Amino acid sequence: MHHEAGRFTRAVALVTALALLCASGLASAAGAMCSARSPAHRVALVELYSSEGCNSCPPADAWLGQWKNGGAARSVVPLALHVDYWNSLGWTDRFSQHRFTERQESLTHLAGDHTIYTPEVFVAGRELRSWSRPESFNSRVAQLIGQPSDADVALDITPRAGGAFDVAARFDSRIADAAARLDAYVAVYENALSTQVGAGENRGATLHHERVVRQWFGPVPLVGGNAHIRRDIRLADAGANTGTDFSADRFGVVAFVENAATGDVLQVADLAFCH
């Protein structure tokens, strides 16, 4: 009787060990890669064009930060793009990139306008001057998410050794018009940033930023309705010269597909870096 009980105990221990091993393997596999897929409806990509040299920009930065973890059931995806045309006016914004000035100019020209300014907000590729009025912004978002999407976006992030991450984005279009050129983009953003401004209009202020775009890839044209963007992202490069600790918790990726002729953003996917 004692011998049978011992065998039973060993069997239970073996089954328990195997179960724990399997559970560990599943957790490891789940932790090895994280993924995001765009929903069936359109998602509102909110682009804020900002600068640390602009004294009317901090309220807009704070406004954008309320969606840093997603909003409206993750139907709002915010990005802060710092432009460089303020840099000669007293304070050089360390997050500014000329390509963001060029993108702001491009979206403005596609809309038939010729004036760029900060802070300026685009929602799904269209300017929204009344962004600070909740009823106006909420109405625009509700209009977008009430529409079926003409494209699908898939994002996968796989951690690598040494603080590197393999980012893979896939874009698929359902637009029947083969003449419509669609472009794919990937943006790496960083949260929880702050700057003590020493000159310019915000001199003496400590500014706080969320969703600041650090790296930008694209445009990559969709061919036959499909495109792929794959990049090896190193956090030390994404946050170069910012004094950050390169914690993966601060970073994320946004991928979106855009109509090149109109600037309309058809669909978006958003994914924080996993460990």
Side-chain angles (χ1 to χ4, degrees), residues 123-139:
V123 180
R126 298 294 181 93
E127 184 188 22
L128 184 66
R129 296 202 174 193
S130 55
W131 54 268
S132 61
R133 301 207 313 264
E135 66 277 9
S136 177
F137 179 78
N138 293 337
S139 174

PDB file of all heavy atoms in Angstrom, residues 123-139:
ATOM      1  N   VAL A 123      -6.170  64.925 -37.821  1.00  0.00           N
ATOM      2  CA  VAL A 123      -6.838  63.692 -37.410  1.00  0.00           C
ATOM      3  C   VAL A 123      -7.100  62.873 -38.669  1.00  0.00           C
ATOM      4  O   VAL A 123      -7.826  63.324 -39.563  1.00  0.00           O
ATOM      5  CB  VAL A 123      -8.157  63.969 -36.661  1.00  0.00           C
ATOM      6  CG1 VAL A 123      -8.826  62.653 -36.263  1.00  0.00           C
ATOM      7  CG2 VAL A 123      -7.891  64.825 -35.426  1.00  0.00           C
ATOM      8  N   ALA A 124      -6.477  61.702 -38.745  1.00  0.00           N
ATOM      9  CA  ALA A 124      -6.587  60.834 -39.923  1.00  0.00           C
ATOM     10  C   ALA A 124      -6.163  61.564 -41.191  1.00  0.00           C
ATOM     11  O   ALA A 124      -6.720  61.348 -42.266  1.00  0.00           O
ATOM     12  CB  ALA A 124      -7.991  60.265 -40.071  1.00  0.00           C
ATOM     13  N   GLY A 125      -5.176  62.460 -41.066  1.00  0.00           N
ATOM     14  CA  GLY A 125      -4.627  63.143 -42.221  1.00  0.00           C
ATOM     15  C   GLY A 125      -5.298  64.442 -42.583  1.00  0.00           C
ATOM     16  O   GLY A 125      -4.876  65.116 -43.525  1.00  0.00           O
ATOM     17  N   ARG A 126      -6.341  64.842 -41.843  1.00  0.00           N
ATOM     18  CA  ARG A 126      -7.064  66.083 -42.114  1.00  0.00           C
ATOM     19  C   ARG A 126      -6.923  67.040 -40.926  1.00  0.00           C
ATOM     20  O   ARG A 126      -7.103  66.631 -39.775  1.00  0.00           O
ATOM     21  CB  ARG A 126      -8.544  65.803 -42.382  1.00  0.00           C
ATOM     22  CG  ARG A 126      -8.810  64.932 -43.594  1.00  0.00           C
ATOM     23  CD  ARG A 126      -8.417  65.622 -44.886  1.00  0.00           C
ATOM     24  NE  ARG A 126      -8.685  64.808 -46.056  1.00  0.00           N
ATOM     25  CZ  ARG A 126      -9.799  64.876 -46.759  1.00  0.00           C
ATOM     26  NH1 ARG A 126     -10.760  65.720 -46.398  1.00  0.00           N
ATOM     27  NH2 ARG A 126      -9.954  64.115 -47.836  1.00  0.00           N
ATOM     28  N   GLU A 127      -6.637  68.311 -41.224  1.00  0.00           N
ATOM     29  CA  GLU A 127      -6.475  69.292 -40.157  1.00  0.00           C
ATOM     30  C   GLU A 127      -7.773  69.464 -39.377  1.00  0.00           C
ATOM     31  O   GLU A 127      -8.868  69.469 -39.949  1.00  0.00           O
ATOM     32  CB  GLU A 127      -6.058  70.645 -40.734  1.00  0.00           C
ATOM     33  CG  GLU A 127      -5.784  71.681 -39.652  1.00  0.00           C
ATOM     34  CD  GLU A 127      -5.570  73.078 -40.214  1.00  0.00           C
ATOM     35  OE1 GLU A 127      -6.023  73.334 -41.349  1.00  0.00           O
ATOM     36  OE2 GLU A 127      -4.985  73.911 -39.506  1.00  0.00           O
ATOM     37  N   LEU A 128      -7.619  69.593 -38.050  1.00  0.00           N
ATOM     38  CA  LEU A 128      -8.761  69.878 -37.178  1.00  0.00           C
ATOM     39  C   LEU A 128      -8.383  71.079 -36.316  1.00  0.00           C
ATOM     40  O   LEU A 128      -7.720  70.943 -35.292  1.00  0.00           O
ATOM     41  CB  LEU A 128      -9.108  68.670 -36.305  1.00  0.00           C
ATOM     42  CG  LEU A 128     -10.350  68.844 -35.416  1.00  0.00           C
ATOM     43  CD1 LEU A 128     -11.613  68.956 -36.269  1.00  0.00           C
ATOM     44  CD2 LEU A 128     -10.478  67.694 -34.431  1.00  0.00           C
ATOM     45  N   ARG A 129      -8.809  72.265 -36.742  1.00  0.00           N
ATOM     46  CA  ARG A 129      -8.443  73.480 -36.015  1.00  0.00           C
ATOM     47  C   ARG A 129      -9.162  73.586 -34.678  1.00  0.00           C
ATOM     48  O   ARG A 129      -8.686  74.251 -33.757  1.00  0.00           O
ATOM     49  CB  ARG A 129      -8.742  74.716 -36.874  1.00  0.00           C
ATOM     50  CG  ARG A 129      -7.909  74.761 -38.137  1.00  0.00           C
ATOM     51  CD  ARG A 129      -7.788  76.149 -38.714  1.00  0.00           C
ATOM     52  NE  ARG A 129      -6.867  76.168 -39.838  1.00  0.00           N
ATOM     53  CZ  ARG A 129      -6.374  77.263 -40.387  1.00  0.00           C
ATOM     54  NH1 ARG A 129      -6.726  78.449 -39.905  1.00  0.00           N
ATOM     55  NH2 ARG A 129      -5.550  77.188 -41.414  1.00  0.00           N
ATOM     56  N   SER A 130     -10.301  72.944 -34.573  1.00  0.00           N
ATOM     57  CA  SER A 130     -11.082  73.015 -33.336  1.00  0.00           C
ATOM     58  C   SER A 130     -10.794  71.834 -32.412  1.00  0.00           C
ATOM     59  O   SER A 130     -11.668  71.402 -31.664  1.00  0.00           O
ATOM     60  CB  SER A 130     -12.574  73.070 -33.672  1.00  0.00           C
ATOM     61  OG  SER A 130     -12.937  71.975 -34.503  1.00  0.00           O
ATOM     62  N   TRP A 131      -9.554  71.333 -32.446  1.00  0.00           N
ATOM     63  CA  TRP A 131      -9.199  70.143 -31.667  1.00  0.00           C
ATOM     64  C   TRP A 131      -9.372  70.343 -30.160  1.00  0.00           C
ATOM     65  O   TRP A 131      -9.631  69.392 -29.426  1.00  0.00           O
ATOM     66  CB  TRP A 131      -7.754  69.743 -31.945  1.00  0.00           C
ATOM     67  CG  TRP A 131      -6.752  70.839 -31.734  1.00  0.00           C
ATOM     68  CD1 TRP A 131      -6.283  71.718 -32.675  1.00  0.00           C
ATOM     69  CD2 TRP A 131      -6.100  71.192 -30.515  1.00  0.00           C
ATOM     70  NE1 TRP A 131      -5.385  72.591 -32.122  1.00  0.00           N
ATOM     71  CE2 TRP A 131      -5.244  72.296 -30.797  1.00  0.00           C
ATOM     72  CE3 TRP A 131      -6.145  70.711 -29.211  1.00  0.00           C
ATOM     73  CZ2 TRP A 131      -4.452  72.897 -29.821  1.00  0.00           C
ATOM     74  CZ3 TRP A 131      -5.360  71.302 -28.235  1.00  0.00           C
ATOM     75  CH2 TRP A 131      -4.510  72.387 -28.547  1.00  0.00           C
ATOM     76  N   SER A 132      -9.235  71.585 -29.690  1.00  0.00           N
ATOM     77  CA  SER A 132      -9.309  71.831 -28.245  1.00  0.00           C
ATOM     78  C   SER A 132     -10.735  71.817 -27.712  1.00  0.00           C
ATOM     79  O   SER A 132     -10.936  71.804 -26.489  1.00  0.00           O
ATOM     80  CB  SER A 132      -8.652  73.172 -27.899  1.00  0.00           C
ATOM     81  OG  SER A 132      -9.315  74.241 -28.552  1.00  0.00           O
ATOM     82  N   ARG A 133     -11.732  71.811 -28.603  1.00  0.00           N
ATOM     83  CA  ARG A 133     -13.124  71.720 -28.176  1.00  0.00           C
ATOM     84  C   ARG A 133     -13.538  70.258 -28.150  1.00  0.00           C
ATOM     85  O   ARG A 133     -13.579  69.599 -29.194  1.00  0.00           O
ATOM     86  CB  ARG A 133     -14.031  72.507 -29.120  1.00  0.00           C
ATOM     87  CG  ARG A 133     -13.692  73.980 -29.214  1.00  0.00           C
ATOM     88  CD  ARG A 133     -14.916  74.827 -29.571  1.00  0.00           C
ATOM     89  NE  ARG A 133     -15.664  74.257 -30.698  1.00  0.00           N
ATOM     90  CZ  ARG A 133     -15.518  74.641 -31.968  1.00  0.00           C
ATOM     91  NH1 ARG A 133     -14.622  75.566 -32.276  1.00  0.00           N
ATOM     92  NH2 ARG A 133     -16.243  74.105 -32.923  1.00  0.00           N
ATOM     93  N   PRO A 134     -13.824  69.711 -26.965  1.00  0.00           N
ATOM     94  CA  PRO A 134     -14.115  68.274 -26.863  1.00  0.00           C
ATOM     95  C   PRO A 134     -15.212  67.807 -27.806  1.00  0.00           C
ATOM     96  O   PRO A 134     -15.102  66.726 -28.397  1.00  0.00           O
ATOM     97  CB  PRO A 134     -14.519  68.095 -25.392  1.00  0.00           C
ATOM     98  CG  PRO A 134     -13.828  69.206 -24.681  1.00  0.00           C
ATOM     99  CD  PRO A 134     -13.833  70.358 -25.637  1.00  0.00           C
ATOM    100  N   GLU A 135     -16.268  68.605 -27.964  1.00  0.00           N
ATOM    101  CA  GLU A 135     -17.366  68.159 -28.810  1.00  0.00           C
ATOM    102  C   GLU A 135     -16.926  68.030 -30.269  1.00  0.00           C
ATOM    103  O   GLU A 135     -17.351  67.117 -30.989  1.00  0.00           O
ATOM    104  CB  GLU A 135     -18.563  69.107 -28.694  1.00  0.00           C
ATOM    105  CG  GLU A 135     -18.352  70.514 -29.223  1.00  0.00           C
ATOM    106  CD  GLU A 135     -17.660  71.448 -28.241  1.00  0.00           C
ATOM    107  OE1 GLU A 135     -17.190  70.954 -27.191  1.00  0.00           O
ATOM    108  OE2 GLU A 135     -17.608  72.664 -28.517  1.00  0.00           O
ATOM    109  N   SER A 136     -16.026  68.915 -30.707  1.00  0.00           N
ATOM    110  CA  SER A 136     -15.540  68.864 -32.087  1.00  0.00           C
ATOM    111  C   SER A 136     -14.626  67.668 -32.297  1.00  0.00           C
ATOM    112  O   SER A 136     -14.758  66.924 -33.275  1.00  0.00           O
ATOM    113  CB  SER A 136     -14.801  70.161 -32.430  1.00  0.00           C
ATOM    114  OG  SER A 136     -14.270  70.084 -33.732  1.00  0.00           O
ATOM    115  N   PHE A 137     -13.690  67.481 -31.367  1.00  0.00           N
ATOM    116  CA  PHE A 137     -12.759  66.354 -31.497  1.00  0.00           C
ATOM    117  C   PHE A 137     -13.501  65.023 -31.393  1.00  0.00           C
ATOM    118  O   PHE A 137     -13.284  64.113 -32.201  1.00  0.00           O
ATOM    119  CB  PHE A 137     -11.683  66.431 -30.417  1.00  0.00           C
ATOM    120  CG  PHE A 137     -10.701  65.296 -30.474  1.00  0.00           C
ATOM    121  CD1 PHE A 137      -9.680  65.285 -31.411  1.00  0.00           C
ATOM    122  CD2 PHE A 137     -10.798  64.227 -29.586  1.00  0.00           C
ATOM    123  CE1 PHE A 137      -8.779  64.234 -31.470  1.00  0.00           C
ATOM    124  CE2 PHE A 137      -9.906  63.182 -29.644  1.00  0.00           C
ATOM    125  CZ  PHE A 137      -8.886  63.187 -30.584  1.00  0.00           C
ATOM    126  N   ASN A 138     -14.388  64.896 -30.418  1.00  0.00           N
ATOM    127  CA  ASN A 138     -15.129  63.641 -30.235  1.00  0.00           C
ATOM    128  C   ASN A 138     -16.007  63.333 -31.438  1.00  0.00           C
ATOM    129  O   ASN A 138     -16.176  62.163 -31.819  1.00  0.00           O
ATOM    130  CB  ASN A 138     -15.979  63.708 -28.965  1.00  0.00           C
ATOM    131  CG  ASN A 138     -15.137  63.755 -27.708  1.00  0.00           C
ATOM    132  OD1 ASN A 138     -13.981  63.332 -27.712  1.00  0.00           O
ATOM    133  ND2 ASN A 138     -15.704  64.275 -26.633  1.00  0.00           N
ATOM    134  N   SER A 139     -16.565  64.369 -32.044  1.00  0.00           N
ATOM    135  CA  SER A 139     -17.392  64.172 -33.228  1.00  0.00           C
ATOM    136  C   SER A 139     -16.566  63.628 -34.389  1.00  0.00           C
ATOM    137  O   SER A 139     -17.011  62.736 -35.121  1.00  0.00           O
ATOM    138  CB  SER A 139     -18.051  65.492 -33.622  1.00  0.00           C
ATOM    139  OG  SER A 139     -18.757  65.357 -34.838  1.00  0.00           O
TER     140      SER A 139
END
